[in-house]
Each structure stands twice: as structure tokens, then as C-alpha cells.
Amino acid sequence: MSVLAAQKQDLAALIRSALEQLIARNELPQVSIPEITLEMPKDKAHGDLASNIALVLAKPVGMKPRDIADKIAAVVCAHPSVEKVEVAGPGFINFFFTKEWVYQVLEAVESQGVNYGSADYGKNERLLLEFVSANPVGPMNVVNARAAAVGDTLARILAAVGYDVATEYYVNDAGVQTEVFGRSLLARYRQLDDPSYPFPEDGYPGAYVVDLAQKLRNEVPGFDQMEETAQLEFCRQWGIDQMVEWQKNDLLGFNVRFDCWFREQELHRANALERIIAVLRERGYIYELDGALWFRSTEFGDDKDRVIVKSDGNYTYVTADIAYHYNKLQRGFTKLIDILGPDHHGYIGRMKAAVQALGYPEDTLEILILQYVALLRDGKPVKMSKRAGEFVTLEDLVTEVGRDAARYFFVMRSLDSHLDFDLTLAAQQSSENPVYYIQYAHARICSIMAQAEQQGVVVKPVADVAWQALTNELEIDLIKKMAELPEELLTAAKERAPHRIARYALDLASLFHSFYTHCHILGEEETIRDARLVLVNCVRTVLQKVLELMGISAPERM
RNA sequence: GCGCCUGUAGCUCAGGGGAUAGAGCAUCGGACUUCUAAUCCGAGUGCCGCAGGUUCGAAUCCUGCCAGGCGCGCCA
């Protein structure tokens, strides 16, 4: 348990026993004691932790909150980690810690290293996080990029709080679009010799298809000898494989590596669609109407029932998706999270229904909706035409603004927020970019450490250092911030809110820069110097940790 | 018509029952002979979309309305 969590637990117990005493002494009427929560006040004049219990009790007890608070404060007796207790405002009870917790926090960071802040909250849960899953018919766009950054960061966060996390990319390699793609590629191939060869009206117009056709010519010598239908099928399969490889590389360049690239074709090969229908039928959720087969998803709260097999005998995409999610569950995952775009929110009801129809609890599947990205340049929208095949790709983005900056910009907003991504701002303003601001804090510490080493100064263990000398407000603020990480990380995980980590990192860096400007280290007398070295060394560890969580590098010099 | 998301400082956004609503950018004024000035310090701004309601207490929860985005297929 983290230092702060332990402290909260202690104080809650303390308050509870105080209340019990007061009730026993008839100073307070007989009431049931509600849950006691402690929170860190925004204003440090209000102490290190505060309780609103007196305000909550005012009504049931029938007394003024301040009077209740005064009684509690009088009874809350000495606790080794509490220096003083104050009643303030409308009736808050504010606790001020003794200096001992400074040591506790530093010691925790020192001993746990980059594991500091991690937890085992999610142990026992095998979680599969699916994200991006863009169709393999074009390059990654910025919406995919946002999903990649957010998904990858969330995966890291969930892993840090103890989930057994696997990430997965679903490759839709069996749909109609892949046929269209195959035809597009073949047409481009023909056009290499005959520029007047017609291009399919619904084809993919991007220049990358032309490049791919050229590659096909260069790398597949026997292609011309194939039958037309074989060529078409080859274009589809080979083309999709090429696209997947391309997507994989783009994502690797973005520091996103998936544990599994799952092919839809695998489901078809294994007759998974037929099997899933059989399972649903057996469980009584299938019926026939108007020549089609329906899944009774309304049984589980969906707006309407869904067609599973069309009257022409073909499956709908829902069928494959249900089969896919069943497959995930069969692989032993106990928790499934999908990150989808806002155009898919209507999909939530039917998929959650499917999971329940298959006999799993409703919350086994969780679907997160990630809002779109509006790309701006100089404050104006970047015109993108999918039809003309012109859009900014993930690759462009990494080239233009850099991997770290791009990742940070995507992660710094909540999933719900419609993100305005200004390329000019992200790239041109790179010297005052939040991400560099954070990295710079790390680099500065590394620089101090390097010089310390040159001077033959080593970082001692906290226990061997006069940590009591760390009394400066800037020092205390830094330590407090570090103390918050475990709870912040847990909240980020529980709320699926990676942007909290982005903000935390910025806050910590800001406190460090302020400290750095006002407090010197190497020039100071030995006791101060050694204590501060321990402090900044811990800050470095925590910065490394949060940057790592966001998949952003922690440079030693800039 | 129904569903989901959003509306907070000039701009982009945090905060999602608690004390005086915050940050970055932009604007203005200061700070480098001293561990990296990609930094720091100071200054100003808010009917928290509108109207009701719940509560000791609402930017936060509920209802209605307004505005923007996205959905509502035997398309994927």
C-alpha cells in the first residue's frame, strides 16, 4: 500500500474511533457512522489530508458541522504521523503530517524504483485490449494514431496496476473492402503497361496503391502468368499482407507494438461463424424472420434485434464480430476492452448483448469510445479527402511533429474530448511543448547526476541522509506530488483515463523546474546537497516511470 | 424523432458533490559571472451554454431547453 493510502486508512480509523467514543460518552447521538474519506486539499494551508465527515454528519446528528468537527478534533488523539489537527472553513478537519512521511515517500521511490506507484489491483484478471483495428486497405490516419497512442498508454497503465494485459489488433481481411482493394491493386498494376486501363469507380485512389503495384511487379515475377481470377485473389491476399506489414511498421515507429494481430480470415477458416450461430441457437437467442436469421439482442437491452444471416445467405459483419469476441473469451481472457470511434457507439448495445447471450456477465466487455481528431495547421482545418486518397498519415505525423510530441498530444486529452491537433503548434512550437518541458526536467536531473559523478559525489540511500533538512516549500511540494502517484495511477486505470498521467507528468515537471531554479544542489553544503540529490534522484525515477507509461522517451540530454 | 459525446479564461483543455474554479498557449513586465534560460518569477481575465430542481454545499448530480460533433441498415 502506498504511503498516502496507508495514511488515509490510519486517519479514517482514527476518526471512526473518535466518533465511537463521542457516541459512547453521549456527546453525540446514536447514529451510524458513514464511510470516512480523506482527501488532499487543493490549498496546502488546509493541511495534508482533510476530512469532511463533520459536514456529512451535520444532518443526521442535528448539530452544526463546526461543533461536530471541534469535538472530533479534540478526541482525535496523538498519532505518530500527525503533527496537528485543525478545524477550518465550514467544518473540515485538516490534518498536518509530521516530517516522517517525507522519509517514507522517498524511501518508497528509492526501494521500488520504476515500480513505484504500481499496484496489484488487477491481479486475477486477464485483460485483452483491442484498439486501432483499422481496415488493411490504407495507411494509418490521425484518428488511428490517436487510438494507437491512447490504447498503448492505457495498456501500460493497466499493466502497471496489476492486470495481465494483452493488446490486439483485429485485421478485417475478409470483408468487401478487401475485394475492392484487390481490384484497385490489379487495376493499378495493369495501368503500369496501359495507362488507359480503367480504374474501378469505388476503388482506393491513394498513390500508395500505385506504389504497391510497382512493388508487385518488382517482387513477384510469376504474377503475369497467373489466371485473371488468381491474380485478383493474389492481389487481395498479397496486397492486404503488404498493408498489414506497413501498418505494423508505422505503429512500431510510433512505439506501439501489439501482442497479437488477429486475422478475421482465421475465424472463417475455423467455421467460427457457423459455430457461434449454433451456440446462440442452442441458448435460444436465434429466430428466423423474412428469410433471415436474427439474434434476439433486445433480450439484453439492445434497441433492436440484429440480423445474423441475411436472406441472401451471407453473414453480416455483426456475426463475425460476435464470433471474434467469443474467440477472445475462449482464449481465457476475463475482461475485454475495445477502443472504438464515435461512429461505433451504436455497436455497444449489440456486442454487450452478445457477450451476455454467450453466458458472460454484462461488464465482461467494455467499449470505450474515443472521439475524433480535427487536424489543424496554422489554426485552420487541414483538408483531407479520403476519396482523393489525400490525408495526413501516422507516418507524416511522426515526421512532422516527432513521435514523442505526437504521442503526448494525443494522450493529454480525455477520450471524450474532441481533439484539436494543431500541427504547427505541436511541431513549430516544439521548444515550448509540454512534452519537451517534461523531458527537459528529466534531462536536467541527469545532467546534475553526471556532474555529481564527476565530482565523486554519490547518491546515498535516504536512510543515510539528513532528509529532515528538506523543509523548503518547493521540496515538500515535490515530495507530495510523488506521494500522489500511486493513487493517480490507480485512478487513471480505473477510469480508463490516460490523460491523467499526462497531466501528472506535467505537474511534476513544473514543480521540479521551479525547485531547480530556486534550490541549488551541488554547490550547497554537504548535508543539504546529499538530501537534495536523493530528492531529485527520486524525481528522476518518477519522471522515467510516467514517461514510460506514455511510451515517450526519457532523454538524458537535450 | 431516438441514442452517445461535447459546451469552463482570448484559444486548446483539466477539474465530474466540498473550502477562494485551474493549467498550457497567447499578451504584458522582470530574472542567466553560479548544477542546461527547451527554465523561472510576476500581472489580468471567467453569468463554468440557459432555466429549474436535489443538497448543509452544485462547474460537478437530476429534469427541460439551446448549440456543435457522431450515430440510428438484411452496409462495414
Side-chain angles (χ1 to χ4, degrees), chain A residues 429-471:
Chain A
Q429 168 208 76
S430 61
S431 55
E432 296 190 0
N433 222 305
V435 67
Y436 297 117
Y437 181 87
I438 298 163
Q439 289 178 319
Y440 186 48
H442 180 266
R444 274 181 148 177
I445 298 173
C446 289
S447 173
I448 295 168
M449 291 305 174
Q451 288 189 42
E453 198 180 336
Q454 263 181 5
Q455 296 173 18
V457 177
V458 294
V459 182
K460 295 178 184 163
V462 207
D464 296 349
V465 139
W467 52 267
Q468 296 86 343
L470 299 172
T471 52

mmCIF file of all heavy atoms in Angstrom, chain A residues 429-471:
data_model
loop_
_atom_site.group_PDB
_atom_site.id
_atom_site.type_symbol
_atom_site.label_atom_id
_atom_site.label_comp_id
_atom_site.label_asym_id
_atom_site.label_seq_id
_atom_site.Cartn_x
_atom_site.Cartn_y
_atom_site.Cartn_z
ATOM 1 N N GLN A 429 6.289 24.907 -32.394
ATOM 2 C CA GLN A 429 6.430 25.416 -31.041
ATOM 3 C C GLN A 429 7.152 24.388 -30.173
ATOM 4 O O GLN A 429 7.067 24.394 -28.965
ATOM 5 C CB GLN A 429 5.010 25.680 -30.547
ATOM 6 C CG GLN A 429 4.805 25.955 -29.120
ATOM 7 C CD GLN A 429 3.406 25.508 -28.772
ATOM 8 O OE1 GLN A 429 3.106 24.329 -28.628
ATOM 9 N NE2 GLN A 429 2.534 26.457 -28.634
ATOM 10 N N SER A 430 7.861 23.527 -30.851
ATOM 11 C CA SER A 430 8.418 22.379 -30.151
ATOM 12 C C SER A 430 9.290 22.751 -28.955
ATOM 13 O O SER A 430 9.467 21.975 -28.053
ATOM 14 C CB SER A 430 9.226 21.530 -31.125
ATOM 15 O OG SER A 430 10.293 22.297 -31.645
ATOM 16 N N SER A 431 9.825 23.967 -28.965
ATOM 17 C CA SER A 431 10.680 24.323 -27.844
ATOM 18 C C SER A 431 9.870 24.599 -26.584
ATOM 19 O O SER A 431 10.393 24.561 -25.485
ATOM 20 C CB SER A 431 11.518 25.550 -28.200
ATOM 21 O OG SER A 431 10.676 26.586 -28.604
ATOM 22 N N GLU A 432 8.599 24.894 -26.743
ATOM 23 C CA GLU A 432 7.785 25.142 -25.549
ATOM 24 C C GLU A 432 6.657 24.140 -25.429
ATOM 25 O O GLU A 432 5.636 24.398 -24.823
ATOM 26 C CB GLU A 432 7.236 26.570 -25.592
ATOM 27 C CG GLU A 432 8.349 27.568 -25.534
ATOM 28 C CD GLU A 432 7.866 28.988 -25.343
ATOM 29 O OE1 GLU A 432 6.642 29.173 -25.259
ATOM 30 O OE2 GLU A 432 8.704 29.876 -25.273
ATOM 31 N N ASN A 433 6.895 23.018 -26.018
ATOM 32 C CA ASN A 433 5.953 21.938 -25.998
ATOM 33 C C ASN A 433 5.911 21.291 -24.627
ATOM 34 O O ASN A 433 6.938 21.092 -24.022
ATOM 35 C CB ASN A 433 6.473 20.901 -26.988
ATOM 36 C CG ASN A 433 5.363 20.341 -27.794
ATOM 37 O OD1 ASN A 433 4.424 19.849 -27.214
ATOM 38 N ND2 ASN A 433 5.477 20.442 -29.089
ATOM 39 N N PRO A 434 4.735 20.930 -24.158
ATOM 40 C CA PRO A 434 4.679 20.267 -22.858
ATOM 41 C C PRO A 434 5.559 19.026 -22.786
ATOM 42 O O PRO A 434 6.184 18.764 -21.755
ATOM 43 C CB PRO A 434 3.204 19.903 -22.703
ATOM 44 C CG PRO A 434 2.521 20.291 -23.950
ATOM 45 C CD PRO A 434 3.420 21.181 -24.725
ATOM 46 N N VAL A 435 5.632 18.301 -23.877
ATOM 47 C CA VAL A 435 6.394 17.055 -23.811
ATOM 48 C C VAL A 435 7.883 17.340 -23.616
ATOM 49 O O VAL A 435 8.570 16.673 -22.855
ATOM 50 C CB VAL A 435 6.148 16.170 -25.052
ATOM 51 C CG1 VAL A 435 6.698 16.795 -26.311
ATOM 52 C CG2 VAL A 435 6.753 14.798 -24.845
ATOM 53 N N TYR A 436 8.386 18.383 -24.268
ATOM 54 C CA TYR A 436 9.798 18.724 -24.088
ATOM 55 C C TYR A 436 10.046 19.305 -22.709
ATOM 56 O O TYR A 436 11.109 19.130 -22.128
ATOM 57 C CB TYR A 436 10.247 19.694 -25.180
ATOM 58 C CG TYR A 436 10.155 19.073 -26.551
ATOM 59 C CD1 TYR A 436 9.302 19.584 -27.514
ATOM 60 C CD2 TYR A 436 10.897 17.938 -26.855
ATOM 61 C CE1 TYR A 436 9.193 18.990 -28.759
ATOM 62 C CE2 TYR A 436 10.792 17.336 -28.099
ATOM 63 C CZ TYR A 436 9.943 17.866 -29.048
ATOM 64 O OH TYR A 436 9.828 17.271 -30.271
ATOM 65 N N TYR A 437 9.045 19.979 -22.234
ATOM 66 C CA TYR A 437 9.113 20.541 -20.886
ATOM 67 C C TYR A 437 9.334 19.423 -19.862
ATOM 68 O O TYR A 437 10.155 19.529 -18.954
ATOM 69 C CB TYR A 437 7.796 21.285 -20.626
ATOM 70 C CG TYR A 437 7.671 21.962 -19.299
ATOM 71 C CD1 TYR A 437 8.139 23.259 -19.112
ATOM 72 C CD2 TYR A 437 7.047 21.324 -18.231
ATOM 73 C CE1 TYR A 437 7.978 23.905 -17.893
ATOM 74 C CE2 TYR A 437 6.889 21.955 -17.020
ATOM 75 C CZ TYR A 437 7.353 23.244 -16.856
ATOM 76 O OH TYR A 437 7.199 23.875 -15.647
ATOM 77 N N ILE A 438 8.600 18.344 -20.059
ATOM 78 C CA ILE A 438 8.719 17.203 -19.158
ATOM 79 C C ILE A 438 10.063 16.500 -19.355
ATOM 80 O O ILE A 438 10.775 16.203 -18.393
ATOM 81 C CB ILE A 438 7.573 16.198 -19.392
ATOM 82 C CG1 ILE A 438 6.224 16.856 -19.086
ATOM 83 C CG2 ILE A 438 7.757 14.952 -18.538
ATOM 84 C CD1 ILE A 438 5.031 16.114 -19.657
ATOM 85 N N GLN A 439 10.405 16.281 -20.608
ATOM 86 C CA GLN A 439 11.671 15.597 -20.891
ATOM 87 C C GLN A 439 12.864 16.421 -20.406
ATOM 88 O O GLN A 439 13.860 15.875 -19.934
ATOM 89 C CB GLN A 439 11.793 15.338 -22.399
ATOM 90 C CG GLN A 439 10.833 14.277 -22.896
ATOM 91 C CD GLN A 439 10.931 14.079 -24.399
ATOM 92 O OE1 GLN A 439 11.060 15.048 -25.144
ATOM 93 N NE2 GLN A 439 10.848 12.847 -24.851
ATOM 94 N N TYR A 440 12.716 17.720 -20.514
ATOM 95 C CA TYR A 440 13.797 18.618 -20.094
ATOM 96 C C TYR A 440 14.056 18.497 -18.591
ATOM 97 O O TYR A 440 15.206 18.540 -18.149
ATOM 98 C CB TYR A 440 13.429 20.052 -20.466
ATOM 99 C CG TYR A 440 14.502 21.078 -20.228
ATOM 100 C CD1 TYR A 440 15.819 20.867 -20.649
ATOM 101 C CD2 TYR A 440 14.199 22.272 -19.589
ATOM 102 C CE1 TYR A 440 16.790 21.818 -20.438
ATOM 103 C CE2 TYR A 440 15.183 23.236 -19.371
ATOM 104 C CZ TYR A 440 16.468 23.007 -19.798
ATOM 105 O OH TYR A 440 17.431 23.950 -19.583
ATOM 106 N N ALA A 441 13.001 18.334 -17.844
ATOM 107 C CA ALA A 441 13.159 18.140 -16.404
ATOM 108 C C ALA A 441 14.011 16.900 -16.156
ATOM 109 O O ALA A 441 14.934 16.904 -15.330
ATOM 110 C CB ALA A 441 11.795 18.000 -15.735
ATOM 111 N N HIS A 442 13.709 15.854 -16.893
ATOM 112 C CA HIS A 442 14.473 14.617 -16.746
ATOM 113 C C HIS A 442 15.937 14.827 -17.149
ATOM 114 O O HIS A 442 16.860 14.400 -16.448
ATOM 115 C CB HIS A 442 13.836 13.518 -17.598
ATOM 116 C CG HIS A 442 14.552 12.209 -17.520
ATOM 117 N ND1 HIS A 442 15.513 11.831 -18.421
ATOM 118 C CD2 HIS A 442 14.469 11.207 -16.616
ATOM 119 C CE1 HIS A 442 15.982 10.642 -18.083
ATOM 120 N NE2 HIS A 442 15.372 10.235 -16.994
ATOM 121 N N ALA A 443 16.135 15.511 -18.274
ATOM 122 C CA ALA A 443 17.497 15.742 -18.759
ATOM 123 C C ALA A 443 18.304 16.583 -17.759
ATOM 124 O O ALA A 443 19.489 16.331 -17.537
ATOM 125 C CB ALA A 443 17.450 16.436 -20.115
ATOM 126 N N ARG A 444 17.648 17.547 -17.177
ATOM 127 C CA ARG A 444 18.353 18.389 -16.199
ATOM 128 C C ARG A 444 18.837 17.565 -15.015
ATOM 129 O O ARG A 444 19.951 17.744 -14.530
ATOM 130 C CB ARG A 444 17.403 19.484 -15.690
ATOM 131 C CG ARG A 444 17.372 20.710 -16.567
ATOM 132 C CD ARG A 444 16.450 21.755 -15.994
ATOM 133 N NE ARG A 444 16.911 23.105 -16.295
ATOM 134 C CZ ARG A 444 16.251 24.215 -15.963
ATOM 135 N NH1 ARG A 444 15.109 24.137 -15.299
ATOM 136 N NH2 ARG A 444 16.730 25.392 -16.260
ATOM 137 N N ILE A 445 18.011 16.668 -14.550
ATOM 138 C CA ILE A 445 18.406 15.835 -13.416
ATOM 139 C C ILE A 445 19.575 14.942 -13.815
ATOM 140 O O ILE A 445 20.545 14.797 -13.060
ATOM 141 C CB ILE A 445 17.217 14.991 -12.911
ATOM 142 C CG1 ILE A 445 16.107 15.903 -12.415
ATOM 143 C CG2 ILE A 445 17.684 14.050 -11.803
ATOM 144 C CD1 ILE A 445 14.824 15.193 -12.044
ATOM 145 N N CYS A 446 19.479 14.396 -15.020
ATOM 146 C CA CYS A 446 20.574 13.541 -15.487
ATOM 147 C C CYS A 446 21.881 14.324 -15.530
ATOM 148 O O CYS A 446 22.949 13.798 -15.199
ATOM 149 C CB CYS A 446 20.258 12.985 -16.870
ATOM 150 S SG CYS A 446 18.956 11.742 -16.847
ATOM 151 N N SER A 447 21.761 15.580 -15.933
ATOM 152 C CA SER A 447 22.946 16.415 -16.016
ATOM 153 C C SER A 447 23.561 16.648 -14.632
ATOM 154 O O SER A 447 24.780 16.610 -14.452
ATOM 155 C CB SER A 447 22.565 17.744 -16.671
ATOM 156 O OG SER A 447 23.638 18.633 -16.634
ATOM 157 N N ILE A 448 22.702 16.880 -13.668
ATOM 158 C CA ILE A 448 23.191 17.049 -12.295
ATOM 159 C C ILE A 448 23.902 15.787 -11.826
ATOM 160 O O ILE A 448 24.997 15.831 -11.259
ATOM 161 C CB ILE A 448 22.018 17.338 -11.328
ATOM 162 C CG1 ILE A 448 21.375 18.680 -11.675
ATOM 163 C CG2 ILE A 448 22.502 17.336 -9.889
ATOM 164 C CD1 ILE A 448 20.050 18.919 -10.968
ATOM 165 N N MET A 449 23.275 14.662 -12.132
ATOM 166 C CA MET A 449 23.840 13.393 -11.695
ATOM 167 C C MET A 449 25.207 13.153 -12.345
ATOM 168 O O MET A 449 26.133 12.655 -11.707
ATOM 169 C CB MET A 449 22.889 12.243 -12.055
ATOM 170 C CG MET A 449 21.608 12.262 -11.257
ATOM 171 S SD MET A 449 21.957 12.273 -9.479
ATOM 172 C CE MET A 449 20.317 12.464 -8.839
ATOM 173 N N ALA A 450 25.293 13.505 -13.620
ATOM 174 C CA ALA A 450 26.556 13.319 -14.324
ATOM 175 C C ALA A 450 27.651 14.162 -13.674
ATOM 176 O O ALA A 450 28.784 13.702 -13.484
ATOM 177 C CB ALA A 450 26.387 13.691 -15.796
ATOM 178 N N GLN A 451 27.291 15.397 -13.334
ATOM 179 C CA GLN A 451 28.300 16.261 -12.722
ATOM 180 C C GLN A 451 28.654 15.816 -11.315
ATOM 181 O O GLN A 451 29.802 15.920 -10.889
ATOM 182 C CB GLN A 451 27.806 17.708 -12.709
ATOM 183 C CG GLN A 451 27.832 18.261 -14.118
ATOM 184 C CD GLN A 451 27.554 19.742 -14.153
ATOM 185 O OE1 GLN A 451 28.064 20.492 -13.323
ATOM 186 N NE2 GLN A 451 26.746 20.147 -15.108
ATOM 187 N N ALA A 452 27.657 15.333 -10.620
ATOM 188 C CA ALA A 452 27.920 14.809 -9.277
ATOM 189 C C ALA A 452 28.935 13.674 -9.368
ATOM 190 O O ALA A 452 29.898 13.628 -8.615
ATOM 191 C CB ALA A 452 26.623 14.324 -8.647
ATOM 192 N N GLU A 453 28.724 12.840 -10.345
ATOM 193 C CA GLU A 453 29.607 11.700 -10.515
ATOM 194 C C GLU A 453 31.037 12.168 -10.799
ATOM 195 O O GLU A 453 32.005 11.649 -10.246
ATOM 196 C CB GLU A 453 29.091 10.827 -11.655
ATOM 197 C CG GLU A 453 29.662 9.418 -11.622
ATOM 198 C CD GLU A 453 29.129 8.570 -12.768
ATOM 199 O OE1 GLU A 453 28.030 8.888 -13.279
ATOM 200 O OE2 GLU A 453 29.811 7.605 -13.140
ATOM 201 N N GLN A 454 31.130 13.191 -11.648
ATOM 202 C CA GLN A 454 32.441 13.753 -11.971
ATOM 203 C C GLN A 454 33.153 14.262 -10.731
ATOM 204 O O GLN A 454 34.369 14.150 -10.597
ATOM 205 C CB GLN A 454 32.282 14.917 -12.949
ATOM 206 C CG GLN A 454 32.501 14.498 -14.393
ATOM 207 C CD GLN A 454 32.356 15.673 -15.343
ATOM 208 O OE1 GLN A 454 32.178 16.817 -14.909
ATOM 209 N NE2 GLN A 454 32.431 15.398 -16.630
ATOM 210 N N GLN A 455 32.354 14.823 -9.845
ATOM 211 C CA GLN A 455 32.935 15.372 -8.620
ATOM 212 C C GLN A 455 33.146 14.283 -7.567
ATOM 213 O O GLN A 455 33.527 14.579 -6.438
ATOM 214 C CB GLN A 455 32.023 16.461 -8.041
ATOM 215 C CG GLN A 455 31.877 17.657 -8.964
ATOM 216 C CD GLN A 455 30.842 18.650 -8.447
ATOM 217 O OE1 GLN A 455 30.472 18.631 -7.274
ATOM 218 N NE2 GLN A 455 30.369 19.518 -9.331
ATOM 219 N N GLY A 456 32.820 13.076 -7.927
ATOM 220 C CA GLY A 456 32.983 11.978 -6.982
ATOM 221 C C GLY A 456 31.915 11.942 -5.914
ATOM 222 O O GLY A 456 32.073 11.313 -4.871
ATOM 223 N N VAL A 457 30.793 12.626 -6.170
ATOM 224 C CA VAL A 457 29.686 12.614 -5.213
ATOM 225 C C VAL A 457 28.713 11.509 -5.606
ATOM 226 O O VAL A 457 28.304 11.426 -6.750
ATOM 227 C CB VAL A 457 28.935 13.970 -5.225
ATOM 228 C CG1 VAL A 457 27.746 13.927 -4.276
ATOM 229 C CG2 VAL A 457 29.887 15.088 -4.853
ATOM 230 N N VAL A 458 28.387 10.660 -4.647
ATOM 231 C CA VAL A 458 27.439 9.597 -4.963
ATOM 232 C C VAL A 458 26.095 9.859 -4.272
ATOM 233 O O VAL A 458 26.039 10.566 -3.262
ATOM 234 C CB VAL A 458 27.957 8.212 -4.512
ATOM 235 C CG1 VAL A 458 29.178 7.829 -5.312
ATOM 236 C CG2 VAL A 458 28.234 8.205 -3.022
ATOM 237 N N VAL A 459 25.059 9.296 -4.847
ATOM 238 C CA VAL A 459 23.738 9.411 -4.226
ATOM 239 C C VAL A 459 23.650 8.368 -3.122
ATOM 240 O O VAL A 459 23.749 7.177 -3.372
ATOM 241 C CB VAL A 459 22.613 9.170 -5.246
ATOM 242 C CG1 VAL A 459 21.254 9.354 -4.590
ATOM 243 C CG2 VAL A 459 22.768 10.099 -6.430
ATOM 244 N N LYS A 460 23.468 8.860 -1.909
ATOM 245 C CA LYS A 460 23.388 7.923 -0.784
ATOM 246 C C LYS A 460 21.964 7.416 -0.616
ATOM 247 O O LYS A 460 21.023 8.015 -1.123
ATOM 248 C CB LYS A 460 23.809 8.649 0.501
ATOM 249 C CG LYS A 460 25.258 9.084 0.507
ATOM 250 C CD LYS A 460 25.568 9.834 1.797
ATOM 251 C CE LYS A 460 26.993 10.363 1.789
ATOM 252 N NZ LYS A 460 27.182 11.413 2.802
ATOM 253 N N PRO A 461 21.814 6.329 0.115
ATOM 254 C CA PRO A 461 20.455 5.879 0.458
ATOM 255 C C PRO A 461 19.764 6.931 1.345
ATOM 256 O O PRO A 461 20.449 7.625 2.107
ATOM 257 C CB PRO A 461 20.684 4.596 1.250
ATOM 258 C CG PRO A 461 22.089 4.190 0.969
ATOM 259 C CD PRO A 461 22.847 5.435 0.636
ATOM 260 N N VAL A 462 18.445 7.045 1.223
ATOM 261 C CA VAL A 462 17.706 8.020 2.025
ATOM 262 C C VAL A 462 18.022 7.879 3.497
ATOM 263 O O VAL A 462 18.130 8.871 4.220
ATOM 264 C CB VAL A 462 16.175 7.825 1.924
ATOM 265 C CG1 VAL A 462 15.470 9.126 2.178
ATOM 266 C CG2 VAL A 462 15.783 7.206 0.627
ATOM 267 N N ALA A 463 18.159 6.642 3.924
ATOM 268 C CA ALA A 463 18.364 6.385 5.350
ATOM 269 C C ALA A 463 19.661 7.003 5.861
ATOM 270 O O ALA A 463 19.782 7.315 7.040
ATOM 271 C CB ALA A 463 18.363 4.880 5.602
ATOM 272 N N ASP A 464 20.620 7.221 4.949
ATOM 273 C CA ASP A 464 21.921 7.754 5.366
ATOM 274 C C ASP A 464 22.037 9.253 5.146
ATOM 275 O O ASP A 464 23.135 9.813 5.140
ATOM 276 C CB ASP A 464 23.042 7.070 4.567
ATOM 277 C CG ASP A 464 23.100 5.588 4.861
ATOM 278 O OD1 ASP A 464 22.426 5.155 5.822
ATOM 279 O OD2 ASP A 464 23.801 4.872 4.137
ATOM 280 N N VAL A 465 20.920 9.874 4.944
ATOM 281 C CA VAL A 465 20.947 11.266 4.550
ATOM 282 C C VAL A 465 20.079 12.090 5.497
ATOM 283 O O VAL A 465 19.150 11.567 6.119
ATOM 284 C CB VAL A 465 20.421 11.330 3.086
ATOM 285 C CG1 VAL A 465 19.504 12.486 2.869
ATOM 286 C CG2 VAL A 465 21.577 11.328 2.112
ATOM 287 N N ALA A 466 20.406 13.368 5.650
ATOM 288 C CA ALA A 466 19.627 14.227 6.548
ATOM 289 C C ALA A 466 18.365 14.701 5.842
ATOM 290 O O ALA A 466 18.205 15.864 5.517
ATOM 291 C CB ALA A 466 20.472 15.415 6.990
ATOM 292 N N TRP A 467 17.450 13.769 5.637
ATOM 293 C CA TRP A 467 16.227 14.106 4.900
ATOM 294 C C TRP A 467 15.400 15.150 5.633
ATOM 295 O O TRP A 467 14.578 15.847 5.041
ATOM 296 C CB TRP A 467 15.403 12.856 4.600
ATOM 297 C CG TRP A 467 15.121 12.020 5.814
ATOM 298 C CD1 TRP A 467 15.845 10.978 6.271
ATOM 299 C CD2 TRP A 467 14.050 12.209 6.734
ATOM 300 N NE1 TRP A 467 15.313 10.491 7.431
ATOM 301 C CE2 TRP A 467 14.197 11.224 7.728
ATOM 302 C CE3 TRP A 467 12.978 13.101 6.817
ATOM 303 C CZ2 TRP A 467 13.317 11.122 8.807
ATOM 304 C CZ3 TRP A 467 12.097 12.996 7.887
ATOM 305 C CH2 TRP A 467 12.267 12.012 8.858
ATOM 306 N N GLN A 468 15.612 15.266 6.932
ATOM 307 C CA GLN A 468 14.890 16.281 7.718
ATOM 308 C C GLN A 468 15.217 17.682 7.231
ATOM 309 O O GLN A 468 14.477 18.627 7.489
ATOM 310 C CB GLN A 468 15.238 16.177 9.213
ATOM 311 C CG GLN A 468 14.820 14.883 9.887
ATOM 312 C CD GLN A 468 15.864 13.778 9.736
ATOM 313 O OE1 GLN A 468 16.760 13.855 8.882
ATOM 314 N NE2 GLN A 468 15.750 12.740 10.554
ATOM 315 N N ALA A 469 16.333 17.792 6.504
ATOM 316 C CA ALA A 469 16.741 19.107 6.002
ATOM 317 C C ALA A 469 15.880 19.557 4.829
ATOM 318 O O ALA A 469 15.952 20.703 4.405
ATOM 319 C CB ALA A 469 18.212 19.066 5.587
ATOM 320 N N LEU A 470 15.085 18.654 4.306
ATOM 321 C CA LEU A 470 14.227 19.012 3.177
ATOM 322 C C LEU A 470 12.955 19.682 3.700
ATOM 323 O O LEU A 470 11.916 19.052 3.852
ATOM 324 C CB LEU A 470 13.863 17.766 2.363
ATOM 325 C CG LEU A 470 15.044 17.017 1.736
ATOM 326 C CD1 LEU A 470 14.593 15.708 1.115
ATOM 327 C CD2 LEU A 470 15.739 17.885 0.700
ATOM 328 N N THR A 471 13.062 20.945 3.995
ATOM 329 C CA THR A 471 11.932 21.648 4.603
ATOM 330 C C THR A 471 11.408 22.768 3.717
ATOM 331 O O THR A 471 10.349 23.317 3.969
ATOM 332 C CB THR A 471 12.365 22.285 5.940
ATOM 333 O OG1 THR A 471 13.541 23.052 5.696
ATOM 334 C CG2 THR A 471 12.661 21.224 6.974
#
